[in-house]
Amino acid sequence: MKTRDRILLKSLELFNEQGERSVTTNHIASSLNISPGNLYYHFRSKEDIIYEIFLRYEASMVSALSVPDDRAVTYMDKIGYFEAIFRQLWEYRFLHRDLAHLLEESPRLRDSYRQFARKVMAQAYLVYDALRTAQLIRASEQDVRSMIINIWIVTTSWASFVMSSGFFGAEVVLSQQLLRRGIYQIICLEAPYLQGEALEKLPVLLAEYKQAAEMV
């Protein structure tokens, strides 16, 4: 693996585990057994590392929400979208947990994140439009757009809510189970609009995420 990629992977690991503000470039270099100079050869600053990680996150999320162009969307595709969102939330959890601080510190990241938000919500609209065509949901265009905004709010703020609200305990640690609780909330948001196979299998889907929901 190239040194540049090793730096990004180790940085992501440390940011997720310790929080971005607790990790310096010296910490990253030491964890990789490379010199700070070697790290700076590839990245001029920690902000550059964070920005590159964000670009990878953006590409992964947009790809995860792709719509097949050679067939209709199926119920299993719908489940796949939920699991893809969950994987992105977990793999890049520091971005959501520390989002307000990161955007405040980096104008470049702030501008790119706003473009990312528009891109993802536009992609999400294509997903839900395909679900309408496949008769898995029944909703007006206005309903779909409102639902997408609500899903975006839950998705991007869930980690922060878990850590700051006290709803899950005073000394809560962000876990995969608590992130799955966020997916449960998204399922509840779209439940009133489901039809066909999606509606028939809703109880099964809710049951899969129920354990996380019952922890609170």
Side-chain angles (χ1 to χ4, degrees), residues 11-152:
S11 298
L12 178 58
E13 177 186 332
L14 293 173
F15 293 157
N16 281 336
E17 291 178 353
Q18 302 178 25
E20 173 271 331
R21 279 177 278 195
S22 299
V23 178
T24 68
T25 51
N26 284 342
H27 290 144
I28 297 168
S30 176
S31 296
L32 289 167
N33 293 316
I34 64 175
S35 68
N38 194 352
L39 184 147
Y40 287 126
Y41 173 80
H42 296 279
F43 297 98
R44 294 175 300 175
S45 65
K46 187 171 74 169
E47 191 268 345
D48 282 348
I49 295 174
I50 293 169
Y51 187 74
E52 186 64 31
I53 290 173
F54 164 74
L55 293 180
R56 292 189 172 198
Y57 165 66
E58 177 183 35
S60 295
M61 184 62 83
V62 172
S63 175
L65 295 175
S66 62
V67 177
D69 56 8
D70 58 345
R71 59 174 176 81
V73 170
T74 67
Y75 174 76
M76 292 308 300
D77 290 322
K78 183 175 179 297
I79 302 306
Y81 290 129
F82 284 134
E83 286 302 308
I85 291 172
F86 166 73
R87 287 193 299 271
Q88 302 306 318
L89 286 175
W90 179 250
E91 184 175 356
Y92 296 93
R93 56 194 177 276
F94 89 93
L95 285 172
H96 297 282
R97 188 178 56 211
D98 306 327
L99 183 61
H101 164 73
L102 293 170
L103 298 184
E104 181 179 354
E105 290 293 309
S106 174
R108 173 175 59 164
L109 180 60
R110 183 168 60 248
D111 291 342
S112 293
Y113 187 83
R114 289 170 177 170
Q115 295 176 32
F116 164 68
R118 291 192 291 269
K119 185 184 302 183
V120 168
M121 284 193 276
Q123 191 68 29
Y125 180 82
L126 295 179
V127 168
Y128 275 98
D129 193 47
L131 291 171
R132 285 197 300 180
T133 300
Q135 297 186 348
L136 292 171
I137 66 168
R138 180 175 57 195
S140 67
E141 182 173 347
Q142 182 177 350
D143 288 336
V144 168
R145 294 192 182 280
S146 296
M147 182 167 51
I148 288 170
I149 291 173
N150 290 337
I151 290 173
W152 172 264

